[in-house]
Amino acid sequence: TSRPSNAPRVVEPKNPLRTTDPGTIEMLKVAQENKLETVFDRFVAQQPQCGFGYKGICCRICLAGPCRVKAEDGPASRGICGATAYTIVSRNLVRMIAGGAASHSEHARHVLHTAHELVEGKTKDYEIKSPEKLHKLAEKLGIETLNRDNMEILGDVTELAYEDFGRYKDRPAAFLDSFLIEQRHNKFLNTNIMPRNIDGTVTELMAQTAQGVDADPVNIIFGGLKGSLADLVGEYIGTNLSDVLFGIPEPIVSEANLGVIEEKMVNIAVHGHNPVLSEMVVGAARELKAEAQKAGAEGVNIVGICCTGNELLMREGVYLATSSASQEMAILTGVLDAMVVDIQCIYPSLTQLCDCYHTKMITTEAIMKVPGAQHLAFNSETAMEDAKKLVRIAIEAYKRRDPKKIALSKTRNSLVAGFSIEALTDIFGKINPERPFSVLTDAILSGQIKGVVQMAGCNNLKRQQDESHVAILKALVKNDVFVVATGCSAGAFAKMGLMNSEAVEEYAGEGLKSFIRQLEEANPQLSTKLPLVFHLGSCVDNSRGMDLVQAMAKELGVDTPKVPFAASAPEAMHEKAVAIGSYCVSMGIPTHVGTMPYLEGSDLIYGIATQIAHDVFGGNFIFEVDEKVAAQKILNALEYRTWKLRIHK
Ligand code: XCC
């Protein structure tokens, strides 16, 4: 191609709109007609992006820089301090992991504070929605449950979670170690990447990569892997405590894409990641239906965007309006009355579009404000009151809609979500109650299905939105792979109508089809048929996938690197995705990434990520931007593992 050697790999879109999502295409036409700027315009305006930054060889860690490492020999091949490309690339990379771990654990910390306030009696609006999960979790963590009050048990669980944030004693973080099979526990201890806490690990990573500290790329990368496991500690806290407070997800029917934003309703989008506020907004919306009707609407319609959307979809069946790259499109419908945001993946540009419409943008968390948005500090002591204020702001805004600006989307697709590890255990358990996951592993060993793939990650406009998520999914299911999904990958499938039973008929290979039908026959109690791809939840719920791969490992009597299980993030974007990918590799999983992380400036680091990681942890990165080739590489990885398993059986 004519790409300059240093330029970022941007996949040329097949249509000029850079998206394949039909709802987004409808709204982009509205944007163009009205000359409204969106992320799709800004992406083009940024081209060509900086080649040094893209390759990870721009160092801005100290004020002597920025240093750009050049390909030629001599002094320009190093930074001013003498740092080589491999040092700079590895430092930059692991600082992204630190950012990801900080983000996921900040989300978890908020859920934890809420649980703690419940224990302290400081909030009346939350409850232990799932005592069953609380007991299961406590037992896993080694906390006594016999003849104890639930609040007392939750008190001990929250204390232990707080310790996991700040422990200085030399013992592994409980919210990771208690979830690990023995082989991974030993591996992480032996390679010195087992984190004892979250906050200290993130801090250590920043210190390790400061100017004039660690220059050894291998040591830096190992520090990064420890950071990625600290990210997983945060995810385990986030997922498990959310299940305790808001319930364990169970199969649930809903709809997705921008058509779920309805003209006759007061529409509130909840966007970001944290279920602590948005769960309250759902409750407040139910309570304030009469007020919405008084204003002329039929009721209040809560719709989700990004992972807050996934959290609410999984537990409440709330409609999923859209995913990250198309978040602005919700406003362009002209009938979105409020955009309520918490943290992460929220474009600051939203206020710019809200200004052109009647839509109120409201930020709710102390660390997340946007100029031009109204800030309503959300407090768990006054949670329901705060949520009602938000709903009332939306009802007021509803009255100011401009009929000339209404441009509804017609795209909405049915879906089935809610597949927590508990839900999967129940479904498989109807076939084999003693050993539920043998249902999955036996199907792999018999050749009925080819393995399991966890599809995760974001949107990244270096690719056409959602195209590669969908292309890889279709290739996998056609080849009889059982697919689970999280985050904006799950969002893509939901929006495109691929997360329902009709899609099984249309896209699954014969083996996968028969496997899913077999599960349905064994589960007549389910009020719905099963989907083509199983929604595990939000970004933090990638932890559920780690439970799944380890349950399969236990069933097979092997360590995770032997399990026919792979991961794929075709459009990785956020620092969190770098952290997730890195812990997947540490967990022994072949991990495909379709948008390049900033590491091509060092062959050594590229080699560590794709090969040496495999020698040490049994998992490795598969960097592949071509989706057809990527699907084939994932299938090959599964096939190789299955072949080896069969030989040793
Ligand atoms: Fe953000 Fe979670 Fe990525 Fe989507 S998927 S763009 S992180 S919302 Ni986790």
Side-chain angles (χ1 to χ4, degrees):
T1 72
S2 60
R3 183 170 73 92
S5 61
N6 235 6
R9 293 199 212 178
V10 175
V11 178
E12 278 310 314
K14 293 186 190 105
N15 77 45
L17 296 177
R18 305 200 80 85
T19 180
T20 54
D21 169 6
T24 304
I25 291 173
E26 286 174 288
M27 287 303 125
L28 273 179
K29 288 184 184 145
V30 175
Q32 283 176 345
E33 277 162 27
N34 296 293
K35 300 198 170 32
L36 295 169
E37 176 201 298
T38 69
V39 63
F40 294 89
D41 304 308
R42 292 187 297 272
F43 179 81
V44 174
Q46 282 294 329
Q47 303 309 312
Q49 286 162 296
C50 170
F52 288 96
Y54 175 75
K55 291 199 156 190
I57 45 178
C58 171
C59 183
R60 290 192 313 110
I61 284 174
C62 86
L63 294 178
C67 291
R68 307 184 310 170
V69 169
K70 312 245 168 78
E72 69 226 40
D73 287 340
S77 67
R78 293 168 176 253
I80 293 169
C81 68
T84 56
Y86 56 62
T87 299
I88 295 172
V89 170
S90 54
R91 282 177 179 169
N92 286 336
L93 200 62
V94 305
R95 281 190 166 213
M96 290 190 86
I97 295 176
S103 300
H104 277 141
S105 56
E106 193 56 30
H107 164 167
R109 198 190 315 261
H110 194 153
V111 181
L112 171 58
H113 284 333
T114 309
H116 178 68
E117 284 181 354
L118 175 62
V119 172
E120 300 268 289
K122 288 190 186 150
T123 172
K124 54 183 188 334
D125 296 330
Y126 295 91
E127 58 175 330
I128 299 173
K129 190 97 170 265
S130 176
E132 176 199 347
K133 180 82 181 208
L134 174 66
H135 281 246
K136 205 180 114 191
L137 176 63
E139 277 153 25
K140 219 175 201 2
L141 294 166
I143 291 168
E144 183 60 59
T145 55
L146 202 65
N147 301 326
R148 291 186 78 198
D149 179 67
N150 283 342
M151 240 5 126
E152 246 176 71
I153 301 172
L154 183 60
D156 283 0
V157 170
T158 55
E159 279 313 310
L160 194 52
Y162 276 125
E163 272 184 45
D164 274 0
F165 273 94
R167 176 180 301 102
Y168 279 89
K169 285 194 191 123
D170 195 13
R171 62 159 275 201
F175 273 80
L176 173 64
D177 202 29
S178 313
F179 291 82
L180 293 177
I181 54 172
E182 199 189 341
Q183 298 95 317
R184 283 294 106 177
H185 161 90
N186 292 339
K187 176 64 80 183
F188 297 159
L189 281 182
N190 294 340
T191 50
N192 212 11
I193 65 163
M194 180 78 92
R196 58 176 181 242
N197 59 21
I198 298 169
D199 294 345
T201 303
V202 172
T203 308
E204 183 181 81
L205 213 41
M206 295 306 283
Q208 183 178 2
T209 53
Q211 195 276 339
V213 189
D214 205 348
D216 177 345
V218 177
N219 206 41
I220 293 171
I221 294 292
F222 273 68
L225 294 180
K226 185 170 158 189
S228 76
L229 290 179
D231 179 285
L232 184 52
V233 180
E235 290 189 22
Y236 269 126
I237 294 174
T239 298
N240 284 285
L241 289 182
S242 295
D243 283 356
V244 170
L245 294 183
F246 307 118
I248 305 172
E250 289 168 11
I252 195 160
V253 175
S254 185
E255 290 176 54
N257 217 324
L258 292 160
V260 302
I261 305 176
E262 298 169 354
E263 188 170 11
K264 56 185 192 291
M265 305 292 276
V266 170
N267 293 297
I268 304 175
V270 281
H271 174 17
H273 283 76
N274 197 336
V276 167
L277 161 71
S278 47
E279 282 279 355
M280 283 298 129
V281 177
V282 173
R286 285 180 196 133
E287 283 190 32
L288 296 182
K289 187 174 174 191
E291 285 186 31
Q293 286 171 334
K294 218 166 138 207
E298 282 184 12
V300 183
N301 183 29
I302 307 294
V303 301
I305 299 181
C306 287
C307 282
T308 294
N310 286 322
E311 295 273 355
L312 294 185
L313 166 62
M314 291 286 284
R315 297 195 181 87
E316 311 284 347
V318 161
Y319 294 146
L320 185 69
T322 197
S323 55
S324 76
S326 36
Q327 56 187 270
E328 296 166 324
M329 304 302 137
I331 299 167
L332 302 187
T333 58
V335 294
L336 186 71
D337 303 302
M339 172 73 87
V340 177
V341 302
D342 49 81
I343 45 165
Q344 299 166 17
C345 302
I346 296 147
Y347 292 165
S349 63
L350 292 176
T351 48
Q352 210 177 313
L353 285 170
C354 285
D355 284 349
C356 304
Y357 288 81
H358 73 292
T359 315
K360 288 292 288 182
M361 166 126 170
I362 305 144
T363 57
T364 55
E365 298 225 16
I367 61 161
M368 162 62 199
K369 297 185 182 180
V370 183
Q374 180 176 349
H375 187 73
L376 201 150
F378 175 73
N379 192 330
S380 37
E381 287 174 31
T382 51
M384 187 45 93
E385 234 173 86
D386 296 340
K388 283 185 181 166
K389 275 188 207 158
L390 290 168
V391 175
R392 288 193 172 114
I393 292 172
I395 295 174
E396 279 309 305
Y398 168 85
K399 298 176 190 162
R400 296 193 304 275
R401 274 186 195 172
D402 181 349
K404 292 195 289 299
K405 289 187 180 167
I406 294 176
L408 301 172
S409 161
K410 292 184 197 67
T411 313
R412 57 194 288 171
N413 285 302
S414 66
L415 66 94
V416 185
F419 296 96
S420 55
I421 195 78
E422 290 82 354
L424 289 175
T425 307
D426 281 352
I427 290 168
F428 296 141
K430 291 290 183 311
I431 295 177
N432 187 340
E434 301 301 315
R435 292 169 37 214
F437 289 94
S438 69
V439 174
L440 201 50
T441 52
D442 286 353
I444 294 170
L445 290 172
S446 74
Q448 186 183 18
I449 57 173
K450 296 267 168 58
V452 178
V453 170
Q454 178 166 350
M455 294 202 62
C458 324
N459 281 147
N460 186 327
L461 295 185
K462 285 204 176 100
R463 317 190 54 93
Q464 190 149 293
Q465 187 195 9
D466 295 335
E467 185 192 31
S468 50
H469 284 295
V470 169
I472 292 175
L473 172 76
K474 284 185 181 168
L476 294 177
V477 294
K478 188 171 155 224
N479 283 285
D480 300 318
V481 174
F482 184 81
V483 180
V484 295
T486 60
C488 289
S489 191
F493 307 142
K495 288 186 303 177
M496 302 284 200
L498 292 166
M499 199 172 263
N500 53 37
S501 167
E502 293 77 57
V504 178
E505 276 312 311
E506 201 168 342
Y507 299 107
E510 287 310 314
L512 179 63
K513 209 181 278 180
S514 66
F515 180 69
I516 292 177
R517 296 297 173 237
Q518 197 181 317
L519 295 177
E520 279 168 354
E521 274 161 32
N523 284 273
Q525 84 289 356
L526 288 179
S527 55
T528 167
K529 290 180 123 194
L530 293 170
L532 178 66
V533 42
F534 289 67
H535 197 332
L536 289 186
S538 67
C539 310
V540 294
D541 296 331
N542 280 302
S543 64
R544 300 192 204 271
M546 297 307 104
D547 288 340
L548 178 59
V549 65
Q550 293 189 95
M552 291 170 71
K554 266 194 223 160
E555 181 53 50
L556 291 162
V558 298
D559 191 5
T560 44
K562 296 214 164 97
V563 179
F565 187 106
S568 174
E571 290 190 45
M573 175 274 294
H574 204 280
E575 287 176 325
K576 293 176 287 173
V578 183
I580 292 168
S582 303
Y583 76 60
C584 280
V585 168
S586 311
M587 289 293 283
I589 298 168
T591 303
H592 162 250
V593 181
T595 45
M596 289 303 297
Y598 307 136
L599 50 58
E600 288 179 279
S602 165
D603 290 344
L604 177 68
I605 303 303
Y606 192 95
I608 291 176
T610 54
Q611 288 159 30
I612 297 172
H614 186 267
D615 299 341
V616 182
F617 296 102
N620 59 295
F621 279 107
I622 302 168
F623 298 125
E624 182 52 69
V625 296
D626 183 310
E627 64 246 7
K628 285 202 188 74
V629 180
Q632 194 53 54
K633 286 182 177 174
I634 297 167
L635 287 167
N636 292 351
L638 294 177
E639 195 184 323
Y640 179 67
R641 288 180 171 209
T642 307
W643 171 74
K644 276 178 88 175
L645 270 180
R646 288 211 188 101
I647 296 178
H648 293 296
K649 276 277 156 187

